[in-house]
Amino acid sequence: KFKTNFVKHGGFKQLLKMFIDDDDKNGTRTGMGNAVILRIMKCCLFETGDLAIPTDLSNSLIISKICAVAVSNHAGQFSEGSWDNVVIDAVTLLKLLLLKIPQMVDQFLAPPNKTAKTMITSLLLSPDFSKSTRECVMDLLLSVDSVGMNAFSYLLQSLASIDPNPSSDNTELFLVLKKLVVKIANDPSETKKMVTTVKLAELSLA
């Protein structure tokens, strides 16, 4: 009930404004500060069905800020592995916003700033992030169809440049590509061709 009233009486809107305005008004907030705000906002979204974004904040600005936090590195301010939880909160918050506010999807995918591609490739392909983080990105790609379809081509192209070191774990990349093939391709022969491409790349790194 507290969460519902918090959202109803403007708490979520004020948190969102604080999250966006920090660089202009308060200087760059610490990783710990962003971690707390992200966790509260994520909980708010799980509790409410209708969500209104403050009219004085642009959707693209909100998206850019969430993505910037997701790919930033404040791991030194946290105990080992804890920063991954902050990144997961950021990606989960982004997924919930995209599902609740469909018009945000086009702004997330807008080509000029490459926000989507930068965040997705950074988190999914970098060995610096945990398996849980990569699984969270995979969930975003599979939950928001337009995002997954948009990412498919550049993730497929990334197969040519991923680290062949046996210690590199690319499980989530291959898994999400296989699932996206099934969702995207209507032609059975084309589906088989793309699945084969992914499997051959996977075998070459085994």
Side-chain angles (χ1 to χ4, degrees):
K1 186 175 181 180
F2 173 79
K3 293 178 186 177
T4 303
N5 287 332
F6 180 78
V7 173
K8 182 179 178 180
H9 295 292
F12 178 84
K13 293 180 182 180
Q14 290 304 315
L15 265 182
L16 191 54
K17 286 184 177 182
M18 185 186 301
F19 181 64
I20 298 300
D21 290 345
D22 67 337
D23 290 333
D24 294 331
K25 296 181 180 178
N26 306 319
T28 301
R29 182 177 291 108
T30 64
M32 186 64 73
N34 280 326
V36 173
I37 292 177
L38 284 169
R39 177 61 57 90
I40 296 172
M41 288 197 296
K42 187 186 77 169
C43 290
C44 288
L45 281 177
F46 274 122
E47 290 295 321
T48 182
D50 297 324
L51 182 68
I53 296 297
T55 55
D56 56 338
L57 291 177
S58 71
N59 290 344
S60 59
L61 186 60
I62 295 168
I63 291 168
S64 295
K65 180 64 178 182
I66 295 173
C67 292
V69 172
V71 299
S72 64
N73 186 4
H74 293 284
Q77 300 176 18
F78 296 78
S79 58
E80 185 175 354
S82 296
W83 177 247
D84 278 295
N85 293 330
V86 181
V87 176
I88 289 170
D89 281 346
V91 176
T92 302
L93 176 63
L94 177 63
K95 181 190 76 173
L96 292 170
L97 284 170
L98 296 180
L99 290 172
K100 286 178 177 286
I101 309 173
Q103 60 266 36
M104 274 192 167
V105 176
D106 289 339
Q107 291 159 321
F108 177 53
L109 298 177
N113 52 23
K114 298 182 179 179
T115 300
K117 182 177 181 180
T118 300
M119 190 200 77
I120 290 167
T121 54
S122 296
L123 300 182
L124 190 61
L125 304 180
S126 172
D128 296 332
F129 293 97
S130 69
K131 178 179 178 66
S132 296
T133 297
R134 296 194 297 273
E135 288 176 341
C136 187
V137 176
M138 184 172 71
D139 181 51
L140 167 66
L141 294 174
L142 296 175
S143 298
V144 187
D145 288 342
S146 297
V147 176
M149 292 175 70
N150 178 272
F152 180 78
S153 59
Y154 60 75
L155 290 179
L156 191 62
Q157 292 170 4
S158 73
L159 293 176
S161 58
I162 58 177
D163 187 357
N165 191 316
S167 63
S168 299
D169 187 357
N170 299 295
T171 303
E172 289 72 36
L173 172 62
F174 289 116
L175 184 57
V176 76
L177 280 172
K178 290 174 184 176
K179 290 187 175 184
L180 287 174
V181 165
V182 176
K183 294 183 71 171
I184 292 171
N186 293 319
D187 183 348
S189 62
E190 191 65 21
T191 301
K192 184 176 181 180
K193 187 189 302 182
M194 288 190 285
V195 169
T196 300
T197 300
V198 176
K199 285 184 176 179
L200 287 174
E202 188 174 16
L203 288 172
S204 71
L205 296 173

